[in-house]
Amino acid sequence: MNPEKTTVKGACPQDCPDTCAFIYTVENGRLIDVQGDPKHPVTQGRLCTKLNDFAKHHYNPDRLIYPMKRVGPKGAGEFERISWAEALGEIRNRWARIIDEFGSKAIMPCSYLGQEGVLNGLTVGDAFFNRLGSTIAEKTFCGVGREVGTHLTIGPSTGVDPESLIHSRYIVLWAVNTLSTGNHHWPFIAEAKRRGAKIVAIDPLRSRTATQADWHIPIRPGTDAALALGMMNIIISEGLFDRDYVERYTVGFDELAARAAEYPVELVSAITGIPEQDILTLSREYATQAPAVIRLGVAIERSRNGGQASRAINCLPALVGAWRHVGGGYLGLTLSAFAMKWDAMCRPDWIKEDPRVLNLNNLGKVLLETSDPPIKSLMVYNHNPLVQSPDQERIKKGLLREDLFLVVSDLFVTDTAKYADIILPATMQAEQTDLMFSWGHFYWTYNNKAIESPGEAVPNTQLFRLLAETMGFNEPEWRRTDEEMIRDFIDWESPMMQGISFEALQQNGYMRTAVGDKDARAPHAEGNFPTPSGKCEFKSSLAEQGDFVPSPFRAGYEAMQDGSYIDPLPTYIPPFESRDSAPQIAAKYPLNIISPKAHGFLNSQYANEIKQRKRQGDPILIIHPEDARPRGIGNGDTVKVFNDRGAFIGAAILSTDTIRGVVASYLGHWGTDSRAKSAVNSISSDRAANMGRAPTFSDNLVEVAKVDSEAIEALSMGARRAAIAEHA
Ligand SMILES: Nc1nc2c(c(=O)[nH]1)N[C@H]1C(S)=C(S)[C@@H](COP(=O)(O)OP(=O)(O)OC[C@H]3O[C@@H](n4cnc5c(=O)[nH]c(N)nc54)[C@H](O)[C@@H]3O)O[C@H]1N2
Ligand SMILES: Nc1nc2c(c(=O)[nH]1)N[C@H]1C(S)=C(S)[C@@H](COP(=O)(O)OP(=O)(O)OC[C@H]3O[C@@H](n4cnc5c(=O)[nH]c(N)nc54)[C@H](O)[C@@H]3O)O[C@H]1N2
Ligand SMILES: [Mo]
């Protein structure tokens, strides 16, 4: 036995529904291995392809470990090491001058979910920037559109336990690529399948998940609400709904029935591109195979009607009484099982009078068009907008502004960090303490610090302690340790925390919230929906109050009603950009593009690891052979994908994995690595969907043209061959 070798319990830091429990192995202070905890009921000891080399990721030689300042032109990526004192001094001087001249609202944070912990994740920095009086950044990148649809219908329900899926007989995987984006749900789905369940995937693309399903139903992007309304129409008119459940536990059935009657199967087929017979079969099977469950992906929200699509889909389980059964109902976000004190984390009480809120999905506009005051300094952390955010060309233009003071904290010099004036180094998960919630299961996971930080990297919590000191903030909150912060941020008295203590969490690594027994749990068997009426609201009482965004997504700022109209009944409106809804745009740009998550990357993370890049391959464009032929595009050809907003380059993969009129390119490749110096989001519009101000990444038209591969450096042939084989 080697006495120097120890194991430490940890937690995956990534923005993913699975939040795996880790076991770090440390030898002589060095992290030598990271494995999944085999005892964890969901993780079961298995890590995904992205995290398989997580120990090595910590020692990637490209890691940022010292503060740096820009020494070349903006965006050139030329930096020189400086001390923390110099970095903080520069920030203080620049911010003080900006506040003097323009007021504190000329400074704005720009962050998201590079790390997901209660300490270092979504809300870290919010308290600091509220105290500073900056512009408030509204963060609605992910899930908020889908969640508003859910909240209006069934309230912030915890939903079906993924571990209960083994009891399901009919599993609809809707706009979700489980095998790539939350693959620890799969063993439960596979077990249900062994027990006789049918697995259905509704997706424009034959994803990895659709390939494994019993039935893949391809659908035109952004038309899911029409399908759900058509299903309701069939279920109601054929008398397949659960009359007793509907009478007891829902409101607005008559109005819903009238609305659904506006969606006869012929119309729904014309809108969605799904054959009439398939819509009939799906509706009848879904209504009669109990327990039926719908697992809805975040991807549902990524077009104009996204929120209403989520709402329509959330009506289905109550209509057929699926909630009566263990393993029946709806599985979306499990977050409400985690008793966090969002106000203690974000400090909305520190917001100054008359605050300004700007949405980060419009970052290009924010940087180029905001006045009174303009944004003079942006601080980016936990976020890589130049790859992940829409309307990239305008963001680039904004970041090039000579008068913009850009501070970036990250693990690597990302596409975004290349534009920074000051770069600050952040720690990776084994080097910090955190507590992780999950948005796909019911376990808290504690991440114990296992090794020391390299160089001068600091956790995000420490970064904001340092900034608070620099700006002269004296509140005792800035002097808390990480552990004290965790104690302050959790509502230990909540019924969901029964049997859970800080010490037990730290020691055990993971603990289940008190949501009940997975083999007996049917949370809405007798209604009890957390809505104003306590029922499933087919007709939403909240919708009439206007759009709202749940508070953690807006830095603790009160749910704001902007008065925009939401139809209180689920409805279908066509996408902003499609052949039917925008014929003028479609004349120039006839193909709808979707940009789902890459199997080998976690958003843009790991896309800088050679091994992951080899696995994932080059940027590709999946295109139907019938769309490729008239454009003279062959398998493996280099193509340019473009519209008025921008362009990127990829290798064409001719495949019936996609439907005619729809092309797909995976998200996450860094633009700086590509020949076009841009990534898929160069073509994305920054328009918001109809609820939760969700982004519209599935609602963009493009044209595709073959380019002379001599003119640009050739993409790797090996990667092309692998992609061609995968989609053959
Ligand atoms: N490997 C990997 N895993 C991840 C991530 C990652 O980047 N990589 N990211 C994490 C994050 S932040 C999130 S939010 C989740 C997202 O998890 P998912 O929602 O599963 O992710 P996506 O791949 O974006 O979309 C899922 C599927 O929806 C389809 N789709 C796109 N538009 C539509 C539509 O309009 N209608 C329908 N029916 N289907 C549509 C896509 O083709 C895709 O196959 O994954 C998490 N897990
Ligand atoms: N086209 C298209 N665009 C999309 C989507 C899509 O499906 N299609 N999905 C959207 C969705 S669902 C999401 S969630 C967003 C995700 O967008 P982001 O949250 O921006 O995604 P990441 O690529 O994970 O970038 C986070 C950055 O944080 C850094 N980071 C990691 N840990 C730490 C830390 O501890 N401290 C600091 N300071 N930095 C850290 C990482 O290195 C990385 O550069 O993207 C959205 N963009
Ligand atoms: Mo996300």
PDB file of all heavy atoms in Angstrom, residues 56-65 68 410-414 428 608-610 613 670:
ATOM      1  N   LYS A  56      -6.282  14.438 -16.520  1.00  0.00           N
ATOM      2  CA  LYS A  56      -5.320  15.041 -17.454  1.00  0.00           C
ATOM      3  C   LYS A  56      -5.704  16.468 -17.832  1.00  0.00           C
ATOM      4  O   LYS A  56      -4.843  17.321 -18.037  1.00  0.00           O
ATOM      5  CB  LYS A  56      -5.231  14.200 -18.738  1.00  0.00           C
ATOM      6  CG  LYS A  56      -4.469  12.905 -18.577  1.00  0.00           C
ATOM      7  CD  LYS A  56      -3.970  12.403 -19.946  1.00  0.00           C
ATOM      8  CE  LYS A  56      -3.466  10.983 -19.844  1.00  0.00           C
ATOM      9  NZ  LYS A  56      -4.477   9.991 -20.276  1.00  0.00           N
ATOM     10  N   HIS A  57      -7.018  16.711 -17.927  1.00  0.00           N
ATOM     11  CA  HIS A  57      -7.509  18.055 -18.269  1.00  0.00           C
ATOM     12  C   HIS A  57      -6.942  19.095 -17.291  1.00  0.00           C
ATOM     13  O   HIS A  57      -6.642  20.222 -17.674  1.00  0.00           O
ATOM     14  CB  HIS A  57      -9.031  18.036 -18.235  1.00  0.00           C
ATOM     15  CG  HIS A  57      -9.695  19.201 -18.917  1.00  0.00           C
ATOM     16  ND1 HIS A  57      -9.400  19.613 -20.197  1.00  0.00           N
ATOM     17  CD2 HIS A  57     -10.687  20.057 -18.486  1.00  0.00           C
ATOM     18  CE1 HIS A  57     -10.155  20.655 -20.523  1.00  0.00           C
ATOM     19  NE2 HIS A  57     -10.939  20.941 -19.505  1.00  0.00           N
ATOM     20  N   HIS A  58      -6.818  18.694 -16.030  1.00  0.00           N
ATOM     21  CA  HIS A  58      -6.261  19.622 -15.030  1.00  0.00           C
ATOM     22  C   HIS A  58      -4.826  20.028 -15.368  1.00  0.00           C
ATOM     23  O   HIS A  58      -4.380  21.091 -14.958  1.00  0.00           O
ATOM     24  CB  HIS A  58      -6.284  18.984 -13.634  1.00  0.00           C
ATOM     25  CG  HIS A  58      -7.645  18.955 -13.007  1.00  0.00           C
ATOM     26  ND1 HIS A  58      -8.648  18.099 -13.421  1.00  0.00           N
ATOM     27  CD2 HIS A  58      -8.185  19.691 -11.989  1.00  0.00           C
ATOM     28  CE1 HIS A  58      -9.735  18.300 -12.682  1.00  0.00           C
ATOM     29  NE2 HIS A  58      -9.479  19.257 -11.811  1.00  0.00           N
ATOM     30  N   TYR A  59      -4.115  19.147 -16.067  1.00  0.00           N
ATOM     31  CA  TYR A  59      -2.693  19.421 -16.346  1.00  0.00           C
ATOM     32  C   TYR A  59      -2.457  19.805 -17.805  1.00  0.00           C
ATOM     33  O   TYR A  59      -1.331  19.761 -18.289  1.00  0.00           O
ATOM     34  CB  TYR A  59      -1.847  18.203 -15.945  1.00  0.00           C
ATOM     35  CG  TYR A  59      -1.985  17.905 -14.464  1.00  0.00           C
ATOM     36  CD1 TYR A  59      -2.821  16.883 -14.004  1.00  0.00           C
ATOM     37  CD2 TYR A  59      -1.322  18.698 -13.523  1.00  0.00           C
ATOM     38  CE1 TYR A  59      -2.984  16.633 -12.651  1.00  0.00           C
ATOM     39  CE2 TYR A  59      -1.480  18.458 -12.158  1.00  0.00           C
ATOM     40  CZ  TYR A  59      -2.315  17.427 -11.730  1.00  0.00           C
ATOM     41  OH  TYR A  59      -2.473  17.208 -10.390  1.00  0.00           O
ATOM     42  N   ASN A  60      -3.539  20.164 -18.506  1.00  0.00           N
ATOM     43  CA  ASN A  60      -3.381  20.637 -19.887  1.00  0.00           C
ATOM     44  C   ASN A  60      -2.382  21.807 -19.880  1.00  0.00           C
ATOM     45  O   ASN A  60      -2.559  22.776 -19.144  1.00  0.00           O
ATOM     46  CB  ASN A  60      -4.758  21.088 -20.413  1.00  0.00           C
ATOM     47  CG  ASN A  60      -4.702  21.522 -21.871  1.00  0.00           C
ATOM     48  OD1 ASN A  60      -3.792  22.257 -22.282  1.00  0.00           O
ATOM     49  ND2 ASN A  60      -5.669  21.086 -22.644  1.00  0.00           N
ATOM     50  N   PRO A  61      -1.315  21.712 -20.682  1.00  0.00           N
ATOM     51  CA  PRO A  61      -0.286  22.757 -20.653  1.00  0.00           C
ATOM     52  C   PRO A  61      -0.794  24.136 -21.073  1.00  0.00           C
ATOM     53  O   PRO A  61      -0.134  25.144 -20.791  1.00  0.00           O
ATOM     54  CB  PRO A  61       0.769  22.248 -21.655  1.00  0.00           C
ATOM     55  CG  PRO A  61       0.098  21.175 -22.454  1.00  0.00           C
ATOM     56  CD  PRO A  61      -0.997  20.620 -21.611  1.00  0.00           C
ATOM     57  N   ASP A  62      -1.959  24.187 -21.717  1.00  0.00           N
ATOM     58  CA  ASP A  62      -2.513  25.499 -22.119  1.00  0.00           C
ATOM     59  C   ASP A  62      -3.246  26.196 -20.989  1.00  0.00           C
ATOM     60  O   ASP A  62      -3.756  27.302 -21.178  1.00  0.00           O
ATOM     61  CB  ASP A  62      -3.499  25.328 -23.288  1.00  0.00           C
ATOM     62  CG  ASP A  62      -2.815  24.829 -24.543  1.00  0.00           C
ATOM     63  OD1 ASP A  62      -1.583  25.005 -24.651  1.00  0.00           O
ATOM     64  OD2 ASP A  62      -3.510  24.239 -25.401  1.00  0.00           O
ATOM     65  N   ARG A  63      -3.339  25.555 -19.808  1.00  0.00           N
ATOM     66  CA  ARG A  63      -4.102  26.194 -18.736  1.00  0.00           C
ATOM     67  C   ARG A  63      -3.560  27.553 -18.379  1.00  0.00           C
ATOM     68  O   ARG A  63      -2.355  27.768 -18.310  1.00  0.00           O
ATOM     69  CB  ARG A  63      -4.117  25.308 -17.484  1.00  0.00           C
ATOM     70  CG  ARG A  63      -5.246  24.345 -17.585  1.00  0.00           C
ATOM     71  CD  ARG A  63      -5.942  23.988 -16.358  1.00  0.00           C
ATOM     72  NE  ARG A  63      -6.220  24.940 -15.320  1.00  0.00           N
ATOM     73  CZ  ARG A  63      -6.383  24.549 -14.069  1.00  0.00           C
ATOM     74  NH1 ARG A  63      -6.235  23.280 -13.729  1.00  0.00           N
ATOM     75  NH2 ARG A  63      -6.697  25.431 -13.147  1.00  0.00           N
ATOM     76  N   LEU A  64      -4.487  28.437 -18.089  1.00  0.00           N
ATOM     77  CA  LEU A  64      -4.146  29.766 -17.611  1.00  0.00           C
ATOM     78  C   LEU A  64      -3.828  29.650 -16.139  1.00  0.00           C
ATOM     79  O   LEU A  64      -4.683  29.210 -15.369  1.00  0.00           O
ATOM     80  CB  LEU A  64      -5.407  30.609 -17.701  1.00  0.00           C
ATOM     81  CG  LEU A  64      -5.616  31.519 -18.870  1.00  0.00           C
ATOM     82  CD1 LEU A  64      -7.050  32.011 -18.840  1.00  0.00           C
ATOM     83  CD2 LEU A  64      -4.655  32.672 -18.782  1.00  0.00           C
ATOM     84  N   ILE A  65      -2.626  30.018 -15.733  1.00  0.00           N
ATOM     85  CA  ILE A  65      -2.363  29.908 -14.295  1.00  0.00           C
ATOM     86  C   ILE A  65      -1.855  31.210 -13.672  1.00  0.00           C
ATOM     87  O   ILE A  65      -1.668  31.290 -12.464  1.00  0.00           O
ATOM     88  CB  ILE A  65      -1.421  28.727 -13.982  1.00  0.00           C
ATOM     89  CG1 ILE A  65      -0.129  28.824 -14.770  1.00  0.00           C
ATOM     90  CG2 ILE A  65      -2.106  27.385 -14.271  1.00  0.00           C
ATOM     91  CD1 ILE A  65       0.895  27.778 -14.345  1.00  0.00           C
ATOM     92  N   MET A  68      -2.875  37.914 -16.699  1.00  0.00           N
ATOM     93  CA  MET A  68      -2.149  38.436 -17.852  1.00  0.00           C
ATOM     94  C   MET A  68      -2.812  39.723 -18.330  1.00  0.00           C
ATOM     95  O   MET A  68      -3.984  39.965 -18.083  1.00  0.00           O
ATOM     96  CB  MET A  68      -2.169  37.407 -18.985  1.00  0.00           C
ATOM     97  CG  MET A  68      -1.507  36.092 -18.600  1.00  0.00           C
ATOM     98  SD  MET A  68      -0.895  35.210 -20.021  1.00  0.00           S
ATOM     99  CE  MET A  68      -2.408  34.579 -20.681  1.00  0.00           C
ATOM    100  N   ASP A 410     -11.066  32.687 -16.825  1.00  0.00           N
ATOM    101  CA  ASP A 410     -11.336  31.388 -17.437  1.00  0.00           C
ATOM    102  C   ASP A 410     -10.191  30.430 -17.121  1.00  0.00           C
ATOM    103  O   ASP A 410      -9.196  30.795 -16.484  1.00  0.00           O
ATOM    104  CB  ASP A 410     -11.529  31.524 -18.958  1.00  0.00           C
ATOM    105  CG  ASP A 410     -12.407  30.405 -19.539  1.00  0.00           C
ATOM    106  OD1 ASP A 410     -12.019  29.222 -19.409  1.00  0.00           O
ATOM    107  OD2 ASP A 410     -13.462  30.723 -20.112  1.00  0.00           O
ATOM    108  N   LEU A 411     -10.377  29.179 -17.575  1.00  0.00           N
ATOM    109  CA  LEU A 411      -9.361  28.143 -17.408  1.00  0.00           C
ATOM    110  C   LEU A 411      -8.355  28.177 -18.557  1.00  0.00           C
ATOM    111  O   LEU A 411      -7.218  27.735 -18.427  1.00  0.00           O
ATOM    112  CB  LEU A 411     -10.027  26.760 -17.391  1.00  0.00           C
ATOM    113  CG  LEU A 411     -11.159  26.577 -16.394  1.00  0.00           C
ATOM    114  CD1 LEU A 411     -11.964  25.327 -16.719  1.00  0.00           C
ATOM    115  CD2 LEU A 411     -10.597  26.476 -14.986  1.00  0.00           C
ATOM    116  N   PHE A 412      -8.829  28.661 -19.704  1.00  0.00           N
ATOM    117  CA  PHE A 412      -8.029  28.669 -20.926  1.00  0.00           C
ATOM    118  C   PHE A 412      -8.207  30.005 -21.653  1.00  0.00           C
ATOM    119  O   PHE A 412      -9.157  30.728 -21.375  1.00  0.00           O
ATOM    120  CB  PHE A 412      -8.477  27.534 -21.870  1.00  0.00           C
ATOM    121  CG  PHE A 412      -8.265  26.162 -21.293  1.00  0.00           C
ATOM    122  CD1 PHE A 412      -9.316  25.469 -20.689  1.00  0.00           C
ATOM    123  CD2 PHE A 412      -7.012  25.560 -21.341  1.00  0.00           C
ATOM    124  CE1 PHE A 412      -9.122  24.208 -20.148  1.00  0.00           C
ATOM    125  CE2 PHE A 412      -6.810  24.295 -20.803  1.00  0.00           C
ATOM    126  CZ  PHE A 412      -7.863  23.617 -20.200  1.00  0.00           C
ATOM    127  N   VAL A 413      -7.325  30.264 -22.598  1.00  0.00           N
ATOM    128  CA  VAL A 413      -7.519  31.437 -23.455  1.00  0.00           C
ATOM    129  C   VAL A 413      -8.499  31.038 -24.562  1.00  0.00           C
ATOM    130  O   VAL A 413      -8.132  30.535 -25.613  1.00  0.00           O
ATOM    131  CB  VAL A 413      -6.188  31.952 -24.049  1.00  0.00           C
ATOM    132  CG1 VAL A 413      -6.449  33.210 -24.882  1.00  0.00           C
ATOM    133  CG2 VAL A 413      -5.192  32.243 -22.956  1.00  0.00           C
ATOM    134  N   THR A 414      -9.766  31.217 -24.262  1.00  0.00           N
ATOM    135  CA  THR A 414     -10.833  30.840 -25.193  1.00  0.00           C
ATOM    136  C   THR A 414     -10.922  31.868 -26.324  1.00  0.00           C
ATOM    137  O   THR A 414     -10.245  32.902 -26.294  1.00  0.00           O
ATOM    138  CB  THR A 414     -12.183  30.852 -24.460  1.00  0.00           C
ATOM    139  OG1 THR A 414     -12.396  32.188 -23.987  1.00  0.00           O
ATOM    140  CG2 THR A 414     -12.192  29.881 -23.291  1.00  0.00           C
ATOM    141  N   MET A 428      -9.736  24.618 -11.546  1.00  0.00           N
ATOM    142  CA  MET A 428     -10.575  23.548 -12.066  1.00  0.00           C
ATOM    143  C   MET A 428     -11.139  22.770 -10.866  1.00  0.00           C
ATOM    144  O   MET A 428     -10.674  22.929  -9.738  1.00  0.00           O
ATOM    145  CB  MET A 428      -9.744  22.664 -12.995  1.00  0.00           C
ATOM    146  CG  MET A 428     -10.543  22.114 -14.164  1.00  0.00           C
ATOM    147  SD  MET A 428      -9.499  21.199 -15.315  1.00  0.00           S
ATOM    148  CE  MET A 428      -9.143  22.431 -16.562  1.00  0.00           C
ATOM    149  N   ASN A 608     -10.872  21.962 -26.809  1.00  0.00           N
ATOM    150  CA  ASN A 608      -9.453  22.285 -26.979  1.00  0.00           C
ATOM    151  C   ASN A 608      -8.562  21.101 -26.564  1.00  0.00           C
ATOM    152  O   ASN A 608      -7.351  21.243 -26.503  1.00  0.00           O
ATOM    153  CB  ASN A 608      -9.080  23.526 -26.153  1.00  0.00           C
ATOM    154  CG  ASN A 608      -9.333  23.325 -24.669  1.00  0.00           C
ATOM    155  OD1 ASN A 608     -10.172  22.511 -24.288  1.00  0.00           O
ATOM    156  ND2 ASN A 608      -8.619  24.044 -23.829  1.00  0.00           N
ATOM    157  N   GLU A 609      -9.163  19.960 -26.278  1.00  0.00           N
ATOM    158  CA  GLU A 609      -8.387  18.767 -25.930  1.00  0.00           C
ATOM    159  C   GLU A 609      -8.207  17.927 -27.194  1.00  0.00           C
ATOM    160  O   GLU A 609      -9.194  17.562 -27.850  1.00  0.00           O
ATOM    161  CB  GLU A 609      -9.123  17.937 -24.863  1.00  0.00           C
ATOM    162  CG  GLU A 609      -9.071  18.512 -23.464  1.00  0.00           C
ATOM    163  CD  GLU A 609      -7.707  18.339 -22.798  1.00  0.00           C
ATOM    164  OE1 GLU A 609      -6.842  17.640 -23.361  1.00  0.00           O
ATOM    165  OE2 GLU A 609      -7.519  18.921 -21.709  1.00  0.00           O
ATOM    166  N   ILE A 610      -6.990  17.594 -27.509  1.00  0.00           N
ATOM    167  CA  ILE A 610      -6.718  16.880 -28.762  1.00  0.00           C
ATOM    168  C   ILE A 610      -7.517  15.587 -28.858  1.00  0.00           C
ATOM    169  O   ILE A 610      -8.115  15.284 -29.877  1.00  0.00           O
ATOM    170  CB  ILE A 610      -5.209  16.597 -28.894  1.00  0.00           C
ATOM    171  CG1 ILE A 610      -4.482  17.930 -29.115  1.00  0.00           C
ATOM    172  CG2 ILE A 610      -4.907  15.648 -30.044  1.00  0.00           C
ATOM    173  CD1 ILE A 610      -2.995  17.875 -28.910  1.00  0.00           C
ATOM    174  N   ARG A 613     -11.096  16.239 -29.582  1.00  0.00           N
ATOM    175  CA  ARG A 613     -11.278  16.732 -30.946  1.00  0.00           C
ATOM    176  C   ARG A 613     -11.151  15.609 -31.947  1.00  0.00           C
ATOM    177  O   ARG A 613     -11.840  15.586 -32.967  1.00  0.00           O
ATOM    178  CB  ARG A 613     -10.301  17.841 -31.247  1.00  0.00           C
ATOM    179  CG  ARG A 613     -10.975  19.170 -31.036  1.00  0.00           C
ATOM    180  CD  ARG A 613     -10.047  20.298 -30.918  1.00  0.00           C
ATOM    181  NE  ARG A 613      -9.261  20.517 -32.116  1.00  0.00           N
ATOM    182  CZ  ARG A 613      -8.320  21.436 -32.176  1.00  0.00           C
ATOM    183  NH1 ARG A 613      -8.065  22.168 -31.119  1.00  0.00           N
ATOM    184  NH2 ARG A 613      -7.638  21.625 -33.269  1.00  0.00           N
ATOM    185  N   TRP A 670     -14.320  25.613 -31.450  1.00  0.00           N
ATOM    186  CA  TRP A 670     -13.860  26.987 -31.316  1.00  0.00           C
ATOM    187  C   TRP A 670     -13.653  27.589 -32.699  1.00  0.00           C
ATOM    188  O   TRP A 670     -13.061  26.960 -33.580  1.00  0.00           O
ATOM    189  CB  TRP A 670     -12.550  27.041 -30.531  1.00  0.00           C
ATOM    190  CG  TRP A 670     -12.688  26.624 -29.101  1.00  0.00           C
ATOM    191  CD1 TRP A 670     -13.715  25.888 -28.561  1.00  0.00           C
ATOM    192  CD2 TRP A 670     -11.785  26.898 -28.035  1.00  0.00           C
ATOM    193  NE1 TRP A 670     -13.499  25.698 -27.218  1.00  0.00           N
ATOM    194  CE2 TRP A 670     -12.318  26.304 -26.872  1.00  0.00           C
ATOM    195  CE3 TRP A 670     -10.568  27.596 -27.941  1.00  0.00           C
ATOM    196  CZ2 TRP A 670     -11.673  26.389 -25.638  1.00  0.00           C
ATOM    197  CZ3 TRP A 670      -9.926  27.676 -26.705  1.00  0.00           C
ATOM    198  CH2 TRP A 670     -10.485  27.079 -25.566  1.00  0.00           C
TER     199      TRP A 670
END
